[in-house]
Amino acid sequence: MKHAVVSSLVLGLFLQTGCSSGVTGPLEMTTLNPGDDHQTIARHYLHEARLSRQQVEELSNQAAVYERLFGQESDWVSGTRLLVQFYQEVAQEQDRLAELHMRLGKDRSSK
């Protein structure tokens, strides 16, 4: 039961965030090529980090509601808290990637 609930929540959230990104053209997000537009890539990662933090806030609120409704040991509460932790880690990784691309963009502009 617990895994089914978590799986359903994860799938729904991935679909929600995946459809909401506003990228208009393809970006090669893994590029380290100095000639590429690293500032645009960095802005994208910062935007995605903000979206992940919004998910953290919304899911934290949901977990509090679930705790009041179903109790602290509920599968709903623990599953939602796992999602909060996941999105916190995603936001940290997106911040790290944004910083990397900002540095690459600065290196490009200083040459």
Side-chain angles (χ1 to χ4, degrees):
M1 166 84 179
K2 180 178 180 179
H3 295 289
V5 170
V6 172
S7 296
S8 295
L9 288 171
V10 169
L11 179 60
L13 291 170
F14 278 134
L15 291 174
Q16 179 183 1
T17 58
C19 295
S20 66
S21 69
V23 177
T24 57
L27 287 174
E28 178 56 48
M29 301 303 286
T30 60
T31 184
L32 298 178
N33 181 354
D36 290 334
D37 188 358
H38 292 284
Q39 295 301 317
T40 299
I41 296 170
R43 282 192 303 274
H44 171 76
Y45 279 121
L46 289 172
H47 173 75
E48 292 299 311
R50 278 191 295 277
L51 290 177
S52 293
R53 286 192 181 85
Q54 285 176 338
Q55 289 289 359
V56 165
E57 185 177 336
E58 291 171 14
L59 288 167
S60 295
N61 292 336
Q62 277 185 291
V65 170
Y66 293 155
E67 189 172 331
R68 287 191 300 275
L69 290 173
F70 306 118
Q72 188 173 6
E73 302 301 317
S74 162
D75 287 346
W76 286 90
V77 174
S78 59
T80 305
R81 287 190 177 141
L82 286 172
L83 285 172
V84 167
Q85 181 181 350
F86 169 78
Y87 278 104
Q88 287 170 332
E89 292 170 5
V90 167
Q92 290 171 350
E93 177 63 8
Q94 291 164 331
D95 284 336
R96 185 192 70 78
L97 291 168
E99 179 62 34
L100 169 68
H101 285 283
M102 282 189 274
R103 281 196 310 264
L104 289 169
K106 286 178 186 175
D107 291 347
R108 175 182 174 205
S109 65
S110 66
K111 290 181 180 181

